[in-house]
Amino acid sequence: MEDTMTITGQHRGSLAGLKVVDLSRVLAGPLCTQLLADHGAEVVKVEPPAGDDTRSWGPPFVTEDMSAYFSALNRNKSNISLDLRTRAGQEILTKLLHNADVLVENFKPGTLAKWGFTDPHLRNTFPALIHCRVTGFGIDGPMGSMPGYDAVLQAYSGLMSMNGEPDGTPMRIAVPVVDMVTGSYAFSGILLALHARQRTGTGQMIDCTLLDTAISLLHPHSASFLTDGEIPRRTGSAHPTIAPYDVFHAQDGPVFIGVGNDRQFNALLELLGLRADPRFATNADRLANLPELRGLLASRIAEFRRGPLTKELLSHGIPATSLHNVAEALNDPQVLHRDMVVELDGYRATGIPIKLTETPGSVRTPPRPLGADTSTVLSAVGYSPDDVDALIESGVAQQHGIDPVRLADAFQGGA
């Protein structure tokens, strides 16, 4: 494998030269820092001796100590393993922060303060540092400091109540959407804080919670409730305010058809060989007579094969698709054309969703083994070889992986 930080240092992504200390685990924080790393930031992931919880979230596993789950969130980062409960570990973190622009963490509220890194201490000691904190509910208020995973917040926020069939029970959304959007919000918040720092010269706290994200995802149900006071009901795959917008079954499998206006609806009727009906003239009419409309469309769509049908619908400006499984989606020609599946040295993952023409992101290094870069990161922040050996021997730092990486320029300069 090539020199990780040499590659990173030469990369001219939008965030080249930005130095990030990643203390986060699980999903939202690691996704945020991976987005930063994909666009050129130099990210050092600091894991406890036992590693990020998600290293064991399998099968499947990529390597003995790395699940597929973990591998999808931690590329383009160097990796150091520290016991931050120790005074020596805390001193190492201080050295890292002295040369960092951004700190990302999702500890239980109070954990950093217990180790001496209170909010006032961080502001006073590292005035230019941008500190991004991710928690479940925030650090204060009636639910402040309470723990929360993605599914807990889906349930708490009302998001889960909207997912599922009308006559079924509430269901967890199958992907961890709250965590993933929180990671994206954290990424955006860091970019906002970096822009503000250009004017002020000072950093700030970015306070992201899974709760805030989950509430923000309730649209359009939240907007409807705040307007008419009616508690929204589950509609399955259908849309609560647009019709037809749902899954239908063709001869050879399910398709999704989304009609957003009257022109599209009239074109749909024509392509299906159906006559106009005053019961369905407007979107409001279609919603008022939805059972009749669905029955009419379902019986006709069942006569077609899904491939030719969706191709014809799309050619006439009607949004439609075969309902793909994950394998079909990740092998789809358009997905591959958009570089949304990447491969590097045996590493396979989804690609970079933010495309920039002049400073594109890149996948430069696979996720690293736990502690693979411990000695080189410690050397880069001023520890002698003897000091590094002593820290590893004492258990303060761990060197778990083979370390071919040289981080000669890591964490020099910065905030």
Side-chain angles (χ1 to χ4, degrees):
M1 184 183 297
E2 295 183 69
D3 185 316
T4 302
M5 294 306 291
T6 297
I7 295 172
T8 303
Q10 292 176 350
H11 177 60
R12 303 314 302 169
S14 301
L15 301 177
L18 186 74
K19 296 171 177 62
V20 180
V21 174
D22 178 10
L23 302 183
S24 66
R25 299 98 56 223
V26 189
L27 203 168
L31 175 60
C32 168
T33 54
Q34 179 169 280
L35 288 169
L36 295 169
D38 283 351
H39 289 278
E42 297 173 15
V43 178
V44 171
K45 182 177 177 71
V46 181
E47 294 189 59
D52 186 319
D53 290 349
T54 60
R55 282 187 177 272
S56 64
W57 284 14
F61 290 93
V62 177
T63 65
E64 184 176 342
D65 81 332
M66 187 185 299
S67 68
Y69 193 113
F70 176 93
S71 74
L73 301 166
N74 290 285
R75 66 185 176 219
N76 289 336
K77 307 175 188 180
S78 56
N79 190 288
I80 178 172
S81 180
L82 294 176
D83 189 346
L84 293 176
R85 298 168 301 178
T86 66
R87 179 61 61 86
Q90 294 155 17
E91 291 173 355
I92 295 171
L93 178 57
T94 298
K95 288 180 179 289
L96 291 172
L97 293 178
H98 268 299
N99 295 293
D101 297 290
V102 179
L103 166 65
V104 179
E105 53 92 4
N106 58 355
F107 288 116
K108 181 180 178 181
T111 299
L112 275 182
K114 180 176 63 177
W115 295 335
F117 297 94
T118 63
D119 290 349
H121 170 76
L122 289 171
R123 284 196 301 271
N124 294 331
T125 309
F126 315 105
L129 181 69
I130 292 165
H131 178 188
C132 179
R133 178 171 61 207
V134 178
T135 60
F137 293 90
I139 64 170
D140 50 23
M143 289 292 291
S145 301
M146 294 295 103
Y149 277 148
D150 177 278
V152 173
L153 272 300
Q154 286 192 36
Y156 186 92
S157 67
L159 196 61
M160 193 181 294
S161 76
M162 299 310 308
N163 196 50
E165 293 300 324
D167 56 351
T169 59
M171 295 183 66
R172 178 182 69 86
I173 298 170
V175 297
V177 61
V178 176
D179 266 329
M180 295 185 72
V181 176
T182 300
S184 296
Y185 283 171
F187 173 75
S188 301
I190 289 168
L191 299 185
L192 293 171
L194 287 168
H195 182 71
R197 194 177 71 175
Q198 289 184 320
R199 299 195 314 270
T200 66
T202 59
Q204 59 183 293
M205 166 71 73
I206 300 160
D207 181 15
C208 290
T209 74
L210 301 185
L211 174 60
D212 294 356
T213 296
I215 295 296
S216 78
L217 292 174
L218 290 178
H219 183 80
H221 308 291
S222 55
S224 296
F225 171 75
L226 293 173
T227 299
D228 63 18
E230 295 290 328
I231 298 175
R233 295 175 297 173
R234 288 185 297 282
T235 58
S237 58
H239 197 285
T241 59
I242 306 173
Y245 197 97
D246 204 349
V247 172
F248 296 89
H249 289 274
Q251 284 184 6
D252 55 341
V255 298
F256 190 94
I257 299 174
V259 171
N261 55 53
D262 294 340
R263 184 204 65 77
Q264 292 175 354
F265 180 70
N266 291 328
L268 174 66
L269 292 181
E270 183 177 350
L271 288 170
L272 294 179
L274 296 171
R275 295 180 179 180
D277 187 318
R279 293 177 299 171
F280 314 133
T282 68
N283 183 66
D285 293 331
R286 294 192 286 275
L287 285 171
N289 297 284
L290 188 57
E292 295 84 354
L293 173 62
R294 179 170 175 81
L296 178 68
L297 295 177
S299 62
R300 188 74 179 101
I301 290 169
E303 300 174 13
F304 293 83
R305 294 185 63 81
R306 61 180 188 164
L309 174 62
T310 56
K311 183 177 180 180
E312 187 71 11
L313 292 173
L314 289 169
S315 70
H316 284 79
I318 302 168
T321 179
S322 298
L323 199 158
H324 293 151
N325 61 33
V326 173
E328 289 170 327
L330 294 181
N331 286 286
D332 178 76
Q334 184 66 19
V335 171
L336 299 178
H337 172 75
R338 293 290 299 171
D339 294 324
M340 283 309 297
V341 175
V342 296
E343 297 190 30
L344 176 68
D345 297 338
Y347 166 74
R348 301 183 71 214
T350 54
I352 300 172
I354 303 171
K355 306 288 198 292
L356 299 173
T357 58
E358 301 303 318
T359 54
S362 65
V363 178
R364 303 175 302 285
T365 61
R368 302 285 286 152
L370 177 64
D373 307 302
T374 295
S375 65
T376 46
V377 170
L378 293 179
S379 297
V381 294
Y383 287 92
S384 70
D386 288 343
D387 291 335
V388 172
D389 289 343
L391 287 167
I392 292 174
E393 185 176 351
S394 69
V396 170
Q398 292 78 37
Q399 181 82 23
H400 291 267
I402 299 173
D403 181 17
V405 183
R406 297 294 178 264
L407 308 177
D409 297 324
F411 290 91
Q412 300 302 313

